[in-house]
């Protein structure tokens, strides 16, 4: 039996996928509300295919509780926040999960850590917890790191098809965990050592963050001399060895916007390119806010209360607002004492910010200028409703009209 600890964006889909493929699973989370919702037969966030997977897992017998289980296999998928000042990962949630597991685990139990951690976290924090409990690693407890590689909006497909990395002290233990994930994973599963597994996940997201930062910096350069950054990128990407990503209003989510800071925090004198790239990405919401002011001045639009932000989530077609560029922009707006921006997102049903709307038509009726922060399908399919509006399109999805870009 597998006890999955932490039933958030990663833990819940993993638990459901295992159960739906014949593995006995009990999911554990400290939140009584979350566990209660799941036991009522309801999922806790929106994701394509999640409800169908949930129903399959329920039929297979998955259970949910706030209690840790006595078993021989655990998967830990708890949050790993980072300190925005020190840029270091906070391993406290993982540590507490390990401590609770050790109170009930069977001898020789496997503890698989899926949570994203900075390189060296297991050596610095997890091994000492086990050793201080009087247990021998490799005999009483086996530690494994199997970092997740999925993205909101495409979780179910990626759980099934993405390649995976398994880091373990002993090859035979890694192969055992590989067989567990192979119960559903169709991608290639690589077994390596723990430190390499820790590093590869962070490096993957850092590579993407640096590429995005290059595109964002290019957008600023092109804006300075009134050039079309999108046309420049399109032509450059015709070269067989060039693949520049698209600029945007910022980087959100809990991977690309966070993981690279682990390297900056751990290697401050070495991770110079990464540090500057992250600062470039983090500065994009301010850049968008400045573009709003520039366009308002150019259009002789003086009333900021008639400007609206379309999109609150960090990416399209999900309800995930972690590290959302829109929320970052609103925080910046407050620091500049310029208040009144209206906000709308079809995926956010409760009020989380001031001046938030819950109907697209009502939102558009009350604004003269719309800033497209997120390219949800809704706005793509209803572009005609933007006729007559001034549009700042940070996602490059609009056609003709009074369209401005980054």
């Amino acid at each position: 039996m597998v006890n999955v600890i932490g039933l958030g964006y990663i833990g819940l889909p993993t638990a459901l996928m295992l159960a739906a493929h014949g593995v006995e699973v009990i999911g554990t989370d400290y939140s009584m509300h979350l566990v209660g919702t799941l036991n009522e037969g309801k999922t806790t966030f929106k994701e394509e295919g999640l409800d169908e997977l949930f129903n399959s897992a329920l039929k297979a017998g998955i259970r949910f509780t706030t209690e840790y289980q006595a078993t021989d296999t655990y998967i830990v998928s708890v949050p790993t926040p980072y300190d925005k000042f020190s840029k270091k990962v906070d391993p406290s949630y993982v540590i507490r999960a390990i401590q609770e597991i050790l109170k009930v685990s069977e001898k020789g139990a496997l503890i698989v850590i899926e949570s994203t951690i900075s390189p060296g976290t297991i050596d610095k924090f997890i091994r000492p917890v086990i050793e201080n409990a009087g247990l021998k690693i490799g005999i009483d407890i086996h530690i494994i790191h199997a970092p997740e590689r999925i993205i909101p909006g495409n979780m179910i497909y990626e759980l099934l098809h993405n390649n995976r990395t398994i880091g373990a002290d002993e090859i035979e233990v890694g192969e055992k965990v590989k067989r567990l994930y192979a119960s559903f994973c169709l991608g290639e599963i690589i077994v390596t050592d723990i430190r390499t597994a820790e590093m590869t996940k962070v490096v993957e997201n850092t590579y993407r963050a640096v590429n995005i930062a290059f595109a964002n910096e290019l957008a600023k350069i092109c804006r300075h001399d009134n050039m079309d950054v999108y046309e420049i990128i399109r032509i450059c990407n015709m070269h067989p060895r060039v693949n520049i990503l698209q600029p945007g209003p910022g980087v959100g989510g809990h991977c690309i916007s966070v993981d690279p800071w682990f390297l900056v925090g751990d290697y401050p004198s070495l991770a110079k390119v990464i540090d500057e790239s992250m600062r470039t990405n983090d500065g994009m919401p301010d850049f968008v806010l400045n573009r709003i002011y520039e366009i308002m001045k150019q259009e002789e639009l003086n009333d900021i209360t008639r400007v609206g932000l379309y999109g609150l989530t960090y990416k399209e077609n999900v309800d995930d607002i972690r590290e959302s560029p829109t929320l970052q922009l609103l925080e910046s707006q407050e620091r500049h004492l310029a208040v009144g921006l209206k906000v709308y997102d079809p995926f956010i049903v409760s009020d989380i910010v001031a001046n938030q709307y819950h109907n697209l038509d009502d939102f558009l009726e009350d604004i003269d200028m719309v800033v497209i922060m997120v390219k949800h399908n809704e706005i793509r399919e209803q572009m005609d409703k933007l006729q007559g509006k001034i549009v700042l399109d940070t996602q490059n999805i609009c056609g003709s009209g009074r369209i401005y870009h980054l």
Side-chain angles (χ1 to χ4, degrees):
M1 188 263 288
V2 176
N3 188 193
V4 177
I5 311 299
L7 299 174
Y9 286 100
I10 302 303
L12 180 60
T14 300
L16 299 179
M17 190 65 75
L18 284 166
H21 287 80
V23 178
E24 183 183 359
V25 178
I26 295 181
T28 296
D29 197 282
Y30 78 94
S31 171
M32 295 181 65
H33 174 72
L34 183 149
V35 169
T37 300
L38 294 174
N39 282 328
E40 290 173 0
K42 303 174 185 177
T43 52
T44 50
F45 58 91
K46 297 177 182 178
E47 176 69 31
E48 184 176 354
L50 184 65
D51 287 342
E52 292 81 359
L53 181 62
F54 184 57
N55 291 331
S56 296
L58 288 177
K59 291 178 182 177
I62 193 172
R63 292 173 286 160
F64 306 102
T65 179
T66 58
E67 302 295 326
Y68 285 68
Q69 304 297 303
T71 186
D72 61 356
T73 306
Y74 299 87
I75 294 178
V76 177
S77 295
V78 296
T80 49
Y82 80 104
D83 186 282
K84 292 187 177 181
F85 296 101
S86 69
K87 307 304 183 185
K88 292 182 180 291
V89 66
D90 175 6
S92 60
Y93 292 97
V94 177
I95 291 172
R96 284 199 289 271
I98 300 297
Q99 290 170 333
E100 293 300 316
I101 287 172
L102 297 181
K103 294 177 182 179
V104 298
S105 60
E106 298 176 359
K107 184 178 178 62
L110 308 176
I111 300 179
V112 182
I113 299 173
E114 277 206 3
S115 302
T116 299
I117 51 180
S118 60
T121 295
I122 288 178
D123 286 346
K124 287 185 287 187
F125 298 104
I126 306 306
R127 294 187 193 275
V129 169
I130 297 170
E131 292 165 350
N132 291 339
L135 300 171
K136 293 185 177 180
I137 297 172
I139 297 176
D140 300 312
I141 293 292
H142 299 279
I143 310 171
I144 302 95
H145 183 41
E148 55 82 14
R149 275 174 157 174
I150 60 178
I151 188 170
N154 200 31
M155 284 182 172
I156 308 306
Y157 178 87
E158 293 199 352
L159 265 176
L160 285 169
H161 297 280
N162 281 6
N163 300 333
R164 295 202 68 120
T165 303
I166 308 292
D169 292 328
E170 308 99 356
I171 187 69
E172 59 272 17
V173 172
E175 291 294 334
K176 185 175 181 179
V177 175
K178 176 179 177 178
R179 289 192 292 273
L180 173 65
Y181 282 97
S183 65
F184 66 83
C185 180
L186 302 176
E188 184 177 1
I189 303 176
I190 303 296
V191 177
T192 185
D193 61 272
I194 288 176
R195 192 65 179 266
T196 299
E198 288 176 318
M199 191 68 170
T200 52
K201 170 61 188 303
V202 174
V203 168
E204 289 167 358
N205 286 326
T206 300
Y207 168 79
R208 296 178 64 201
V210 171
N211 195 327
I212 292 170
F214 175 70
N216 286 335
E217 191 165 277
L218 189 59
K220 292 181 178 180
I221 293 170
C222 291
R223 172 56 44 208
H224 183 271
D225 277 346
N226 197 31
M227 294 181 285
D228 186 342
V229 66
Y230 303 104
E231 178 69 358
I232 291 169
I233 290 175
R234 185 185 72 82
I235 295 172
C236 289
N237 282 348
M238 294 173 69
H239 190 289
R241 291 179 295 280
V242 175
N243 183 25
I244 305 171
L245 299 181
Q246 295 295 303
V251 177
H254 191 61
C255 291
I256 300 177
S257 66
V258 175
D259 293 2
W261 284 123
F262 296 167
L263 295 179
V264 175
D266 288 343
Y267 306 99
S269 65
L270 301 175
K272 299 299 186 182
V273 172
I274 300 169
D275 189 6
E276 286 300 321
S277 296
M278 294 302 288
R279 295 182 191 281
T280 295
N281 291 338
D282 284 356
M284 289 307 293
D286 269 350
F287 181 73
V288 174
L289 188 58
N290 288 332
R291 284 289 290 143
I292 293 173
Y293 293 147
E294 290 172 359
I295 295 165
M296 289 174 65
K297 183 177 180 180
Q298 183 173 336
E299 292 282 346
E300 298 182 351
L301 179 66
N302 298 315
D303 188 357
I304 196 168
T305 63
R306 295 285 295 178
V307 177
L309 306 178
Y310 178 89
L312 266 167
T313 61
Y314 91 88
K315 71 184 295 287
E316 65 273 15
N317 305 323
V318 300
D319 62 357
D320 191 342
I321 60 171
R322 291 177 295 175
E323 309 297 328
S324 159
T326 303
L327 293 179
Q328 295 174 48
L329 187 153
L330 291 172
E331 290 177 5
S332 181
Q333 172 203 217
E334 291 176 1
R335 290 196 301 271
H336 287 82
L337 302 179
V339 295
L341 288 173
K342 303 180 189 301
V343 187
Y344 164 74
D345 191 301
F347 284 84
I348 307 301
V349 297
S350 57
D351 288 330
I352 63 172
V353 297
N355 302 315
Q356 184 177 343
Y357 287 66
H358 297 285
N359 179 275
L360 177 60
D361 292 334
D362 292 342
F363 169 69
L364 293 175
E365 184 176 341
D366 283 356
I367 61 175
D368 302 305
M369 175 179 173
V370 57
V371 183
I372 300 178
M373 297 289 289
V374 186
K375 50 185 177 182
H376 290 311
N377 285 347
E378 177 197 56
I379 197 67
R380 286 177 173 273
E381 295 166 357
Q382 301 187 59
M383 285 292 179
D384 59 306
K385 292 186 176 181
L386 301 183
Q387 292 295 323
K389 304 294 182 185
I390 302 165
V391 180
L392 171 54
D393 179 10
T394 73
Q395 297 288 347
N396 193 34
I397 60 173
C398 292
S400 59
R402 295 165 73 186
I403 311 297
Y404 293 86
H405 293 98
L406 291 176

